[in-house]
């Protein structure tokens, strides 16, 4: 998931030519939404939102995603609602209904994919009063109803002849091989002092601890060090411990980190860091950390808030010891109302507890305490 951005048109994939509401090509009073390339009726504004579904190459190729998705479900919403209760209707694959707990009604439509590629989508404004909509796209598995992909964008504005919006649309993590989502620290983070005793790795899926301990994690640096791996009970985070600690030159600390395809998910699936490249690809990166002042709250023999089993966590407020592993527990960015921090993503995501259908979980359940999808 992510924010849509506007982009140049470039190559145009197949386009769905159909009226989203199946209510003919007219201005249906008082509001109508269309997905069509056909001219709209006289009296309707020609303003539209053009969407291009963008696939992250680290997850898969667009062709692979299209080959497994049989239909798209579009959910259109607005904080003020798009329809009122007396406009509820169901025609063909389209419904105007209350898809959440606020009083406004949303538009939900299912579009079958008949071409072996992801389509472009046009949403025409019709008689809508609002200048923009929130759009969520779910990808359903061929010959089934299981959600295997999703995309989300908020506040997309209607325009006349505007550039298309680039909406991130990707497989759900459970549908793909595991990959490294982030490391803490990562390149550019300020390192208290100039020595590093441990590093946390965040994965997209639960990992098999034995595979991580079997030599799949290696470090290259000017100092020879022994690597030990400790994995959280969830399998989503692992600490890589260095003995002796990696030492910088007083200004920076630079080292290479590689996690091979011998690292396995808890179901035995090998790690694949580049889903768009044929075969399984390792995670390989060079991490460069600027050295800062030494920690202001060093550990003592009697007390250490950074102590985590037999090692210390980085002296950072965004890291804490969880399940014996140094785990991200806060975002480095501030979240707006209606969003919550997903520490493992280090990003703000929609709060699934809100009365917003766009925030609903595509898979799993909403955690009533955190507002995150389990």
């Amino acid at each position: 998931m992510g924010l849509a951005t506007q982009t140049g048109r470039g190559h145009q994939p197949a386009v769905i030519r159909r009226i989203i509401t199946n209510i003919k090509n007219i201005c249906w009073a008082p509001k109508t939404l269309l997905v069509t390339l056909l001219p709209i009726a006289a009296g309707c504004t020609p303003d539209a939102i053009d969407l291009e579904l963008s696939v992250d190459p680290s997850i898969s190729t667009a062709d692979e995603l299209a080959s497994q998705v049989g239909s798209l479900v579009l959910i259109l919403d607005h904080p003020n609602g798009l329809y009122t209760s007396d406009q509820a209707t169901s025609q063909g694959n389209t419904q105007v209904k209350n898809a959440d707990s606020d009083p406004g009604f949303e538009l939900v439509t299912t579009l079958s994919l008949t071409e072996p590629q992801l389509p472009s989508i046009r949403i025409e404004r019709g008689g809508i009063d609002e200048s923009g909509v929130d759009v969520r796209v779910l990808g359903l598995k061929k010959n089934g109803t299981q959600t295997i992909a999703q995309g989300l964008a908020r506040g997309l504005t209607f325009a006349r002849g505007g550039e298309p919006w680039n909406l991130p649309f990707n497989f759900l993590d459970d549908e793909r091989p595991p990959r490294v989502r982030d490391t803490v620290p990562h390149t550019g983070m300020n390192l208290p002092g100039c020595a590093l005793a441990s590093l946390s790795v965040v994965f997209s899926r639960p990992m098999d601890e034995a595979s991580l301990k079997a030599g799949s994690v290696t470090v290259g640096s000017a100092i020879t060090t022994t690597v030990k791996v400790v994995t959280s009970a969830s399998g989503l985070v692992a600490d890589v411990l260095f003995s002796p600690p990696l030492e910088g030159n007083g200004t920076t600390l630079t080292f290479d980190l590689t996690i091979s395809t011998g690292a396995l998910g808890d179901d035995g699936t090998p790690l694949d860091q580049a889903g768009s490249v044929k075969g399984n690809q390792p995670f390989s990166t060079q991490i460069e950390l600027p050295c800062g002042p030494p920690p202001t709250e060093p550990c003592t023999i009697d007390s250490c808030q950074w102590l985590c089993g037999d090692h210390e966590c980085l002296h950072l407020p965004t890291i804490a010891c969880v399940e014996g592993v140094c785990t991200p527990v806060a975002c480095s960015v501030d979240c707006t109302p209606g969003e919550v921090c997903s520490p493992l993503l280090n990003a703000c995501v929609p709060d699934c507890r809100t009365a917003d259908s766009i925030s609903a979980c595509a898979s799993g359940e909403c955690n009533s305490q955190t507002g995150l999808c389990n």
Side-chain angles (χ1 to χ4, degrees):
M1 296 189 296
L3 296 177
T5 56
Q6 285 191 296
T7 181
R9 291 185 178 274
H11 174 69
Q12 294 292 313
V15 178
I16 292 179
R17 296 173 177 267
R18 106 175 28 189
I19 299 176
I20 199 171
T21 56
N22 197 26
I23 309 177
K24 298 185 179 179
N25 196 13
I26 60 173
C27 283
W28 181 49
K31 300 179 180 180
T32 301
L33 275 181
L34 308 176
V35 168
T36 178
L37 289 184
L38 303 175
I40 60 177
C44 293
T45 170
D47 292 352
I49 294 172
D50 290 317
L51 293 178
E52 301 287 354
L53 302 181
S54 174
V55 180
D56 186 341
S58 70
I59 300 177
S60 72
T61 65
D63 288 344
E64 182 183 9
L65 181 51
S67 71
Q68 297 190 38
V69 172
S71 57
L72 300 176
V73 178
L74 274 69
I75 305 171
L76 279 67
D77 200 359
H78 188 275
N80 298 329
L82 288 177
Y83 299 91
T84 57
S85 58
D86 61 342
Q87 295 173 293
T89 187
S90 178
Q91 298 189 34
N93 293 328
T94 298
Q95 294 175 297
V96 173
K97 64 180 182 179
N98 192 352
D100 54 32
S101 58
D102 64 30
F105 278 37
E106 293 73 46
L107 186 141
V108 181
T109 190
T110 302
L111 304 175
S112 297
L113 299 187
T114 58
E115 301 290 336
Q117 58 191 103
L118 297 177
S120 296
I121 300 173
R122 166 164 286 191
I123 304 171
E124 293 186 348
R125 183 172 180 177
I128 290 180
D129 297 328
E130 291 79 11
S131 61
V133 292
D134 299 335
V135 180
R136 183 178 181 186
V137 183
L138 303 180
L140 305 187
K141 192 172 184 178
K142 283 186 181 295
N143 302 318
T145 59
Q146 177 188 357
T147 299
I148 61 174
Q150 70 171 338
L152 168 67
R154 292 179 178 273
L156 303 189
T157 55
F158 293 99
R160 188 177 308 183
E163 295 294 336
W165 291 91
N166 191 328
L167 187 148
F169 181 69
N170 296 290
F171 278 111
L172 299 178
D173 284 336
D174 289 345
E175 301 296 324
R176 302 300 298 158
R179 67 187 188 281
V180 174
R181 195 187 291 281
D182 196 10
T183 65
V184 182
H186 52 252
T187 290
M189 288 186 67
N190 188 68
L191 177 66
C194 210
L196 186 68
S198 67
L199 172 142
S200 297
V201 182
V202 180
F203 294 93
S204 63
R205 282 180 51 187
M207 301 297 290
D208 173 62
E209 183 172 23
S211 71
L212 295 177
K213 290 182 175 180
S216 60
V217 181
T218 57
V219 172
S221 70
I223 297 176
T224 301
T225 185
T226 301
V227 172
K228 176 183 176 182
V229 179
V230 180
T231 307
S232 65
S234 67
L236 290 171
V237 185
D239 279 346
V240 180
L241 312 182
F242 309 122
S243 179
L246 301 178
E247 297 280 353
N249 58 14
T251 302
T252 59
L253 168 61
T254 302
F255 61 96
D256 297 320
L257 176 68
T258 300
I259 302 179
S260 74
T261 57
L264 306 176
D266 60 359
D267 63 351
T269 304
L271 180 139
D272 184 9
Q273 193 63 28
S276 61
V277 179
K278 186 176 181 180
N280 298 322
Q281 304 298 317
F283 171 80
S284 183
T285 187
Q286 184 176 83
I287 298 176
E288 183 173 337
L289 308 172
C291 300
T296 57
E297 299 180 25
C299 285
T300 64
I301 296 178
D302 299 327
S303 174
C304 182
Q305 62 173 312
W306 311 109
L307 191 63
C308 195
D310 60 356
H311 60 285
E312 289 182 25
C313 297
L314 286 175
H315 295 205
L316 298 172
T318 57
I319 298 292
C321 184
V322 179
E323 300 175 346
V325 170
C326 302
T327 302
V329 293
C331 290
S332 58
V333 294
D334 294 328
C335 297
T336 60
E339 295 182 322
V340 291
C341 167
S342 175
L344 297 183
L345 298 177
N346 191 30
C348 298
V349 298
D351 187 338
C352 61
R353 298 168 298 185
T354 65
D356 183 351
S357 65
I358 298 291
S359 302
C361 300
S363 64
E365 297 180 351
C366 181
N367 187 310
S368 60
Q369 295 183 335
T370 65
L372 299 172
C373 295
N374 293 329

